Amino acid sequence: MNHTNFVIDGDQLDLDDKNGHTFKGFGYLSCNNSSRLLLDYKWEHEDSYNQILQILFGGKHPLMRMIKLEMGDDGNTSSGTEPATMRSADDAANVKRGAGFQLAADAKELQPALKTAILRWGEPGFLRKLWVNVKSADPDKLVPESAFEPMYQWYKQTIVAAYQEYGYLIDYVDPDRNETKHPMVQWIKWFADRIANDRTGFPARFPIDQYNRIKIIAADQNYERDFGDMMIADKQLQDKVAAVGFHYNTDDGTNKPFTKLADDFQHEMWYSEGIAPMTFGKYRIKASNGDGIGGKQSGLDVANRLIKSYVNSRRSFYIFQPAVSAYYPGVNYSHKELIAASRPWSGHFEVDNVGLQCMKHFSDFAKAGWADEGAWRYLTSACDSGVGGTENLDHNREAPSYLTLMAPDKQNFSVIMVNDSSQTRTYHVAIKNVNLAPNQKLAIWESMGPENSDQDYDTNLKRVREKLEITAGTVDIVVNPHSIVTATTLSLENDDEVAYHRIESRHDDYTLGIDGDNGILYEDDFSYAKYPDNYLSLRGNTPRYTADQGGAFEIVKSKGRNVLQQMITEDQRALDWEYSFAPNFTIGDDK
């Protein structure tokens, strides 16, 4: 049996009023057409749509605290096409295209304090020539400053349109490209100054002062980690960038810049794009290797990423790409989601209850958010991870992995421990300088796979295993193989939102079929006569039950009829993120 000793010392809690160490929970990334079919759920089965939003954004312990929107460019950006809000420099921004901005508005109805962020995948066609050198090895020198204002206006007009249409203002903006290899420092600084000082060209009663306070996040890199060093070396850049985002890697740079930025300068560090679990846990438990709910890219693996990304590089926020897969199966990358929603005609969707509960082991037992919301904080001295891999767990599975979150008043704390190995681990924990209630006990919440083949896959999800007494300021906590445990001072066993309940769709699934007796599985004349007159306008003219894999197909009027039209010509093609398909359109039911 493996043993680990650590100390929970309340005097070590960083109580700075900034956000370098606040626990921000999780975010929802809507991009590359990943939310497209939610538009149809909303119209065809609004109860399913609302249920999905409630699972992620609702309740007393919301899982998601942000929606991050990647502005589309009408080109494929890995698994589909997110439409551009503008298609020419003088085009009025249309935020009803695609599902993202609408989704954020609906989520904010459930959670008004929900944060929002935007960045871009690439450049729509009207910006292509100006920004063609953004894909060069030195875009900071080769993209001319004359290109900056047109790009800024795309962001600005989109933000303004979202406010006018849906009533919310974006909280964070990354001016740079998604997963840039060469951050454009001069452009980021220029953009930060422009957005902070722009006072003209706004509609009446627009909240200009609030707009000027929009925060900058940069640079959403993937494998490269040099932006942290750029921040450390450039005081002006530090002053202008509030948050640093990085994708698909838990490690810091060689000189630990991300750690320094959080510890010394109180900058926010975000795991600004990370996977959701791949392969639902209810199927994983049937594998013969004995991993149960664990293994590579499982719920336990993603939970380990949360822990080691904070320990290694101070990431205090994890954003799922995607949280909901609302597109058809068979797109470019393997499926990864907490909720699969590709059946809008039936209203059916599927929840990875295992993956979801692994994440709720964090968010249900700590107040997630920002300093001005009273968010709990990471107790850095009581966090550690020795599990292997910069992303996927690939060695040292039996190593310690634990994370301590504490309330600012030091009256409560929660420790999340992950053990994705075949060996039991015991933690011997000393507790001091914490304002515990007399005779305080620790509730031990555990999730693991079934103990035998007769049990349902979720028999042992998120249950109170025991309550432990704290004796002479110490307690021993056992973490079973292939399990996640939260040890908490909070008394939540009677909280119905925390206690596990299997979440299932209220609707049975069926194959889409119109006039099936005549062999017709799909038809659409695009008139939508049985829908309200504003059906198409509210959807940005998006045709029902469809998804763009390349280009932008919309419904337009022609000779008195609604017809399907490709909105992008070759001359209007985007400056792609990496590559793009020729116009490609998916319709109907993948079955």
Side-chain angles (χ1 to χ4, degrees):
M1 186 180 291
N2 296 321
H3 293 265
T4 299
N5 299 333
F6 70 93
V7 179
I8 295 176
D9 183 354
D11 284 354
Q12 298 298 311
L13 186 67
D14 182 354
L15 288 174
D16 191 287
D17 64 355
K18 294 183 181 179
N19 284 294
H21 297 276
T22 49
F23 170 62
K24 300 167 190 68
F26 302 96
Y28 178 123
L29 179 53
S30 182
C31 61
N32 58 49
N33 225 216
S34 63
S35 299
R36 169 79 166 249
L37 294 177
L38 287 178
L39 284 173
D40 294 316
Y41 275 90
K42 184 174 180 178
W43 281 98
E44 307 299 326
H45 291 280
E46 191 172 16
D47 60 331
S48 292
Y49 179 76
N50 290 337
Q51 188 181 359
I52 291 169
L53 265 57
Q54 182 66 35
I55 292 166
L56 299 176
F57 301 100
K60 296 175 290 185
H61 318 280
L63 182 71
M64 301 294 173
R65 294 305 323 275
M66 171 179 283
I67 288 188
K68 175 185 173 185
L69 304 174
E70 292 184 339
M71 296 199 300
D73 60 8
D74 291 322
N76 185 287
T77 48
S78 75
S79 66
T81 297
E82 196 72 24
T85 58
M86 294 172 62
R87 291 174 176 151
S88 68
D90 56 0
D91 192 11
N94 185 346
V95 292
K96 291 183 284 189
R97 295 175 184 146
F101 289 95
Q102 300 182 55
L103 176 66
D106 293 335
K108 284 178 76 69
E109 288 290 320
L110 285 174
Q111 187 189 144
L114 184 75
K115 303 286 189 183
T116 53
I118 59 172
L119 84 166
R120 73 184 195 276
W121 271 99
E123 295 73 32
F126 74 96
L127 293 170
R128 181 176 59 188
K129 290 181 180 179
L130 287 171
W131 281 80
V132 66
N133 286 320
V134 74
K135 298 180 74 170
S136 70
D138 194 359
D140 227 10
K141 288 184 179 178
L142 296 178
V143 175
E145 189 168 329
S146 59
F148 290 1
E149 183 65 23
M151 176 66 77
Y152 169 76
Q153 287 298 327
W154 179 36
Y155 280 89
K156 174 182 177 178
Q157 298 308 321
T158 299
I159 293 169
V160 170
Y163 180 81
Q164 289 187 295
E165 186 65 39
Y166 300 118
Y168 64 85
L169 197 65
I170 298 297
D171 296 293
Y172 290 83
V173 174
D174 183 349
D176 217 334
R177 260 188 156 224
N178 179 63
E179 296 186 355
T180 177
K181 292 178 173 61
H182 307 288
M184 290 184 62
V185 172
Q186 300 310 313
W187 157 242
I188 293 169
K189 290 179 181 179
W190 185 96
F191 187 100
D193 286 339
R194 186 75 172 91
I195 204 168
N197 296 289
D198 190 357
R199 306 294 297 180
T200 61
F202 294 96
R205 294 182 294 280
F206 183 84
I208 298 175
D209 290 343
Q210 188 179 347
Y211 176 89
N212 294 151
R213 293 192 296 271
I214 290 174
K215 295 180 180 179
I216 301 299
I217 174 177
D220 280 288
Q221 288 184 287
N222 190 354
Y223 300 107
E224 297 78 18
R225 285 167 285 169
D226 52 345
F227 187 71
D229 294 314
M230 295 177 188
M231 287 276 289
I232 293 292
D234 190 332
K235 180 63 166 61
Q236 188 181 45
L237 190 62
Q238 285 180 36
D239 291 342
K240 296 181 186 304
V241 176
V244 177
F246 187 66
H247 301 182
Y248 302 116
N249 194 317
T250 59
D251 285 358
D252 208 331
T254 303
N255 299 314
K256 304 289 284 184
F258 298 140
T259 300
K260 291 175 183 176
L261 285 166
D263 290 355
D264 298 343
F265 302 105
Q266 285 294 316
H267 280 273
E268 301 176 37
M269 298 294 117
W270 295 6
Y271 203 128
S272 54
E273 183 173 325
I275 70 163
M278 294 187 180
T279 308
F280 280 12
K282 67 181 181 181
Y283 305 122
R284 283 182 172 271
I285 63 158
K286 299 179 185 297
S288 59
N289 59 9
D291 282 353
I293 64 173
K296 185 177 180 180
Q297 299 173 335
S298 65
L300 293 185
D301 188 356
V302 175
N304 261 322
R305 295 169 205 226
L306 268 68
I307 297 173
K308 65 182 177 179
S309 67
Y310 178 77
V311 171
N312 294 347
S313 54
R314 296 298 186 266
R315 248 73 70 82
S316 56
F317 192 21
Y318 189 98
I319 300 178
F320 287 103
Q321 204 293 80
V324 178
S325 59
Y327 48 71
Y328 293 116
V331 293
N332 280 0
Y333 54 63
S334 302
H335 266 251
K336 47 181 181 174
E337 64 268 305
L338 296 174
I339 300 174
S342 61
R343 323 294 294 163
W345 46 86
S346 69
H348 179 76
F349 61 88
E350 290 189 87
V351 178
D352 180 7
N353 282 295
V354 174
L356 182 67
Q357 294 306 320
C358 286
M359 302 308 108
K360 286 169 72 63
H361 266 275
F362 296 82
S363 60
D364 278 357
F365 300 100
K367 181 176 176 55
W370 279 255
D372 59 1
E373 300 173 318
W376 285 29
R377 294 177 173 272
Y378 291 83
L379 182 61
T380 310
S381 60
C383 303
D384 194 22
S385 177
V387 299
T390 58
E391 185 186 3
N392 298 322
L393 176 62
D394 59 16
H395 64 283
N396 289 349
R397 293 176 64 159
E398 73 286 348
S401 185
Y402 60 92
L403 181 70
T404 303
L405 303 171
M406 185 173 285
D409 60 9
K410 305 180 186 181
Q411 291 185 0
N412 285 291
F413 65 82
S414 297
V415 187
I416 302 94
M417 294 160 277
V418 178
N419 180 13
D420 198 4
S421 78
S422 59
Q423 303 175 37
T424 300
R425 176 169 291 279
T426 297
Y427 291 91
H428 180 76
V429 185
I431 304 168
K432 61 182 183 179
N433 301 315
V434 181
N435 303 323
L436 296 179
N439 303 314
Q440 176 71 60
K441 292 186 177 182
L442 280 184
I444 307 301
W445 291 74
E446 179 183 63
S447 287
M448 58 188 297
E451 297 172 76
N452 57 65
S453 59
D454 293 330
Q455 290 184 335
D456 287 337
Y457 77 92
D458 54 354
T459 298
N460 298 320
L461 288 187
K462 201 127 143 300
R463 59 178 185 167
V464 179
R465 188 184 73 194
E466 58 187 327
K467 288 195 170 183
L468 299 177
E469 292 186 1
I470 301 171
T471 305
T474 66
V475 63
D476 288 342
I477 304 168
V478 174
V479 185
N480 288 313
H482 305 298
S483 73
I484 180 171
V485 160
T486 299
T488 183
T489 58
L490 299 172
S491 297
L492 296 172
E493 53 268 30
N494 295 319
D495 187 330
D496 196 54
E497 292 186 13
V498 176
Y500 173 67
H501 305 282
R502 183 185 294 180
I503 303 173
E504 296 180 308
S505 173
R506 303 182 182 105
H507 296 279
D508 294 331
D509 190 23
Y510 55 83
T511 300
L512 175 63
I514 301 172
D515 197 14
D517 291 341
N518 293 324
I520 298 172
L521 293 177
Y522 174 91
E523 66 179 3
D524 198 336
D525 65 3
F526 310 119
S527 68
Y528 306 118
K530 296 180 180 179
Y531 291 82
D533 290 343
N534 61 353
Y535 174 75
L536 280 172
S537 64
L538 290 176
R539 296 161 53 88
N541 293 321
T542 302
R544 186 180 58 173
Y545 303 156
T546 64
D548 291 319
Q549 294 298 297
F553 289 86
E554 294 179 4
I555 305 303
V556 301
K557 282 280 187 186
S558 176
K559 299 179 181 178
R561 301 178 57 212
N562 283 359
V563 299
L564 183 70
Q565 178 173 302
Q566 170 59 264
M567 307 303 292
I568 302 303
T569 66
E570 180 61 31
D571 289 341
Q572 294 171 305
R573 180 177 281 208
L575 182 60
D576 296 325
W577 175 59
E578 287 188 352
Y579 53 85
S580 183
F581 294 104
N584 182 293
F585 193 54
T586 303
I587 59 174
D589 186 341
D590 65 291
K591 292 188 177 183

